Each structure stands twice: as structure tokens, then as C-alpha cells.
Amino acid sequence: MLIVLLPEPLLAAGLESPPLYWWRLGREGGLLESGQDDLPALRRRYPAERLRLLAPATATSLYRVSIPVRRASAARAALPFALEDQLGQELEELHLVAGPRRADGRYVAAVTEHRCMQEWMQLVEAAGWRADAMLPQGSLHQDQTPERGLRIQPSPWPNGPSTVLVTSVDQEPVLIEQELLGFWLKQRLGQLDEDQRRVQLIGLTPEQLGIDADCEVDTAVPASLEAALLASLQPARSLNLLTGGYSSGMAAPPWRKLRPALVAAGVLLAVLIAQQGIQTVTLNKERDRLQAQIDQLFDETLPRSRRVDPVTQFRQVLEGAGGQAAADGMGVLLHDALAVVAAEGSAKIQQFRATPSEIELELSLPSFAELEKLRSQLAASAGLSESLQGADSDGEGVTARLRIQRNPS
């Protein structure tokens, strides 16, 4: 992830691409490297890195406002009315963004000028970048608020060596130049209750700041830049200025919104391809199994025939064109037996079982007389012998089982 601190609008106005402070973070949030370069150079150096922008505190103001709604969409709609009395400019000139709700129930709001947003977007788009988010610089210090009163410490940012960071429980963090701190602090303390009028200094003294308020000097460690950069990786807790009309050219490409659908379609396609492959393998195995059975049956039925096309050769044998090669096989025996049954006319074959040496037939006949007539015809046929395996009669006729064999020569 590449974090870039945008320039102040007045600084960017005279330069086509001013040098900017940047930090490159690893996947775990650790600082890998940093520097100061223009955006085109960063684009050439890190073309595959994701980009997150920081709007400078001098051009972005943070507020806490009470909005009696619960839904985020309703808070966005009511935000201009909640801020109207606190802003000194026309609302049409300002870009207002509603953020998360704080512990005191009030919403965070970020305000900057449309002119600043347009300059920043033009600067980034000219370098060929797309940003994931644009966060107010001051919002990254929300976790450094004191238990009561105000906490003042040196700013960890390199763009403001004479700037201090002021945090409090009831307001959002503020970055203020030291020259303006005295006047600002008098007004700010006047807004606090008596028990909250406490100033905690970390890494600073009242003499350094030129203030005469009742201050308490603390030896705690000042805010670190690494902690602020790590907070920029948590968009759910921060304010993203890329909303409304500014979300289309700077956010992720439109096709990324379709990524879940594309992933689902890819998974479905992979499942279908895998299913088709499994079916193909199964059918191939079944084809090979049936072919092996046909070959085995051919070898048993026509042992003296050369296997070329078993199905066609079987058909020829059943039609009586099998030749002498099939004389001792199942085909001729089956042909001779079925020819006698077919000539009788009244007998119907229910089922049969054939082996190379014998045939068992289950027949349906109108009467026992027809059964005896058929047996006589089989016995009279040259080369055949038959034996009755069983016979039953019912109201519809006679069912009989015959075993037919080739007479031994």
C-alpha cells in the first residue's frame, strides 16, 4: 500500500506535479520505505501498488455534529443542515462528507472545498493513478485522545515542522501552527466545562508554545507517524472524501464491482467443466466395458470366426449369412430354433437364454395342443433336440419352458 500526502492547494497551483511525501507499507502495516517524489515518478516506480491519499489538515476541517437519525443515508442527507451555522462559506462551494458515529453519539463530518478536491483529482488522474480512498490527515489521530481536557503534542508529519497536534474527547483532532495556537487555545478552553479546562503537554513546554494557560507537562511518548499511517489502513473507522461525484474517476475500476459475480461465474464454469469431464471419463469406461463384453461374447459364440465388426457379424449370422465359419456357434443354433418357432406362428417368445451349446426359451401358446405341435416340429428339424422344462396353464393359455440343443453328430 502506498500512502501519499496531497499538497496544499496554494502549493499545487503553481506546479504541474509538486513533490509529495509518501510512505510504502507492507501487508501487515509495517513501514517499508518513504520519500518525497512527484506522482508520475511514483507511478513509474510502483505501478502495481494500491494508492491511498491523505488530504492535508490545512484544507480539510473536521467536525462533530448531532444528527437525530440512525441510518447512514439519512445522516448524509441531514449533514448540510447540521453544519450550516458552523460554516463561513456557501454550501455549494463545499464538499461535505459524513463519517462514523463516535462514542458520544455524534457523527463525524469532514469539510473541504470543491476547488481543492478538483485540484487533487486532476493531479492524481494526470499521473494515471486510481486511489482506494482519500482520508483527512487529522482523522488518523482519533485514537490519541486524552481522558479529559486537551492534549497538545508535536505533529509527527514532515509537512508541518512548526505544527502541533491537539486532541480531545469532545472534538476531532486538529493540526494547528504554533503561531496561531495561543489565540485558538483561549477560544477552545472557553468552550469547555470547568473540570475539563486542563491542558496536557507532551514533548513541549508552555514557553515553547508561548501560552500562559494552566498546563500540565507530561513525559509520555508523543504521537508517532507509524501509528497514524497504520490507522489509514482502516477505512471502516475513517472518513473517505471520495464520495458523490468524486467516487467515479478515483475509486477502483468499475469492473471490480462485478468481481463477486465474476468469481461466482468462474466457479460455476469450473464445476460444469469438471462435471463434463467426469461424465466423459465415465462414458468412456462404460464404452470400453461394453466393447469388452461384446468381444467376449463374440469369441464364445463364434469361436472359429475372426473378429472384425462383431455387431455386423452377429447380424449376418442371425440372418443366415454367417457361413461355415459359424456352423458350430450359437448364431446358427439360435437361427434354426427361432426359425421353427416363427414358422409355428401361434407361439410367442417371452424370454430366452442362449449359450454356445443350448438355448432355453420361455414361450406363450394358446393351448397344450399347440405346445405339442411345436415340440414335434422342433424334434423333426434336422440337427435339433428339445426337452420340456416345465409348463403352466391359466385362463389366457399355456406358458412353457423348452431347452433346445444341437444333436450330437
Side-chain angles (χ1 to χ4, degrees):
M1 176 69 73
L2 199 62
I3 311 297
V4 175
L5 179 60
L6 293 169
E8 298 179 15
L10 293 179
L11 177 61
L15 296 175
E16 181 178 351
S17 183
L20 306 177
Y21 291 101
W22 60 271
W23 300 266
R24 181 167 170 260
L25 306 183
R27 291 186 176 181
E28 303 299 328
L31 180 60
L32 301 179
E33 52 186 328
S34 62
Q36 189 176 16
D37 290 288
D38 56 33
L39 285 177
L42 289 175
R43 177 64 174 170
R44 292 189 298 269
R45 185 174 178 182
Y46 304 108
E49 286 286 351
R50 296 170 56 191
L51 178 65
R52 186 154 293 179
L53 305 172
L54 302 181
T58 54
T60 309
S61 301
L62 299 177
Y63 297 89
R64 284 193 192 179
V65 292
S66 298
I67 304 178
V69 296
R70 292 187 177 274
R71 293 185 296 116
S73 58
R76 290 192 296 269
L79 183 59
F81 304 99
L83 286 173
E84 188 173 9
D85 295 337
Q86 304 183 50
L87 303 176
Q89 289 180 262
E90 296 293 334
L91 293 178
E92 292 76 10
E93 300 176 357
L94 301 174
H95 177 51
L96 311 180
V97 178
R101 188 195 294 265
R102 296 303 187 201
D104 58 6
R106 293 184 294 170
Y107 283 92
V108 183
V111 179
T112 188
E113 296 183 25
H114 284 297
R115 173 182 58 86
C116 299
M117 291 294 298
Q118 292 166 2
E119 290 183 8
W120 291 330
M121 290 187 66
Q122 291 173 2
L123 188 66
V124 177
E125 289 177 347
W129 279 101
R130 288 183 180 272
D132 290 345
M134 182 188 295
L135 312 176
Q137 183 183 11
S139 67
L140 305 183
H141 298 282
Q142 175 58 33
D143 294 337
Q144 297 159 6
T145 57
E147 295 181 0
R148 63 187 181 93
L150 305 178
R151 175 181 294 170
I152 303 176
Q153 53 191 312
S155 169
W157 299 97
N159 65 327
S162 61
T163 303
V164 295
L165 170 64
V166 183
T167 56
S168 61
V169 176
D170 62 330
Q171 294 293 338
E172 293 299 299
V174 182
L175 291 166
I176 304 176
E177 295 183 7
Q178 290 188 20
E179 292 79 4
L180 303 177
L181 180 62
F183 175 75
W184 180 90
L185 189 58
K186 290 180 181 180
Q187 290 186 323
R188 184 71 176 86
L189 290 175
Q191 299 173 356
L192 298 175
D193 296 334
E194 187 67 29
D195 60 336
Q196 292 290 330
R197 293 175 185 173
R198 172 179 178 269
V199 178
Q200 178 187 14
L201 299 181
I202 298 179
L204 296 169
T205 62
E207 293 76 16
Q208 288 179 289
L209 301 177
I211 58 177
D212 55 1
D214 184 13
C215 300
E216 174 184 336
V217 178
D218 200 327
T219 58
V221 179
S224 66
L225 180 60
E226 288 76 8
L229 294 175
L230 184 60
S232 68
L233 301 180
Q234 306 172 9
R237 299 174 51 195
S238 58
L239 288 161
N240 185 5
L241 299 180
L242 297 181
T243 60
Y246 300 106
S247 60
S248 60
M250 298 287 291
W255 62 266
R256 288 191 181 178
K257 297 180 181 179
L258 300 176
R259 183 177 293 176
L262 294 176
V263 171
V267 172
L268 179 59
L269 181 60
V271 170
L272 292 177
I273 293 175
Q275 183 178 7
Q276 185 67 27
I278 293 174
Q279 291 179 349
T280 301
V281 172
T282 303
L283 291 175
N284 288 337
K285 289 182 177 179
E286 183 66 14
R287 181 199 60 193
D288 296 340
R289 186 184 67 81
L290 291 176
Q291 186 63 45
Q293 289 183 347
I294 292 174
D295 293 344
Q296 181 181 1
L297 181 61
F298 182 91
D299 294 339
E300 294 176 354
T301 305
L302 304 174
R304 299 181 182 180
S305 299
R306 183 169 63 88
R307 187 185 339 120
V308 178
D309 184 355
V311 176
T312 302
Q313 290 174 277
F314 271 128
R315 185 179 294 113
Q316 292 173 348
V317 169
L318 292 176
E319 292 175 353
Q324 186 63 35
D328 296 334
M330 180 196 304
V332 175
L333 174 61
L334 184 60
H335 175 270
D336 293 344
L338 295 182
V340 175
V341 175
E344 170 59 25
S346 61
K348 295 182 180 179
I349 299 175
Q350 301 297 327
Q351 62 182 5
F352 71 89
R353 182 179 63 84
T355 66
S357 59
E358 65 181 22
I359 300 173
E360 286 191 4
L361 297 177
E362 183 175 329
L363 302 173
S364 175
L365 300 103
S367 63
F368 279 106
E370 299 293 337
L371 173 60
E372 291 301 324
K373 181 180 178 181
L374 175 61
R375 293 183 63 192
S376 299
Q377 292 175 352
L378 289 172
S381 178
L384 296 180
S385 65
E386 59 80 27
S387 60
L388 180 63
Q389 302 298 305
D392 298 317
S393 65
D394 53 25
E396 296 181 357
V398 176
T399 301
R401 296 186 302 278
L402 297 177
R403 177 179 294 171
I404 303 173
Q405 296 175 315
R406 179 73 66 183
N407 286 328
S409 54

